[in-house]
Amino acid sequence: MTPSSRPEVGRAEFADGHAVALRDRLRAAGLRATKPRVAVLTWLAGHPHSTADQAVSAVRPELGGVSTQAVYDVLRACTAAGLLRRIEPAGHPARFEARTADNHHHLVCRHCGRTEDIDCAHGTAPCLSPAHSAGYAVDEAEVVFWGVCPDCRTAAPSGDQLADPNRGARSGNAPGR
């Protein structure tokens, strides 16, 4: 069969197959495969680094009257089961992603919060080791790179491209505090 004569898999069939795989993953993790869980996982698979509020806004039209608390419960349960990863960049709301089975880090825009995956150049976790472990058995290093994304750099007035609106926030010395 040539590529042009191959029957196409329709979007509905792909979505159905994806939903079946997600339900299987949920059950394998010891969770019930509820409509809210499948909807949230499906949406996050295509929209990594989303906030809980973004997930609520995205799945509510599909699910009807799903509560904000129900989506937060889905995120909590799926994170605890290892199906989602929660990242918490300083000064930004928590974000969730379905990429959990590898060792990667994140690059976060200081202005808009846009977050990108950055593969670890050093292989398996932990890719970094502390100078002194204080007796801990270190199994992971979480690295967050900070900068200004191309969109924000383009939108910034000349000379203000690298300004940090949160400067001091991480040390507790933010103006007005």
Side-chain angles (χ1 to χ4, degrees), residues 12 17 24 29-30 35 49 53 55 62 79 130 133 150 163 166-167 170:
D24 289 346
K35 285 183 180 182
H49 313 122
D53 289 340
E62 177 184 341
T79 300
S133 68
N166 297 315
R167 190 168 308 285
R170 288 177 296 284

Side-chain angles (χ1 to χ4, degrees), residues 44 47-52 54 75 79 84-100 102 104-109 113-118 140-146:
L44 285 173
H47 301 88
H49 313 122
S50 295
T51 65
Q54 290 169 324
L75 294 169
T79 300
L84 293 175
R85 180 177 179 186
R86 177 185 171 120
I87 59 171
E88 301 180 55
H92 295 274
R95 298 176 180 280
F96 297 86
E97 65 180 342
R99 185 176 171 187
T100 61
D102 67 348
H104 73 279
H105 305 297
H106 296 95
L107 175 59
V108 179
C109 178
R114 176 176 155 187
T115 305
E116 302 288 340
D117 287 336
I118 302 295
E140 181 180 10
E142 184 173 314
V143 177
V144 177
F145 297 95
W146 292 90

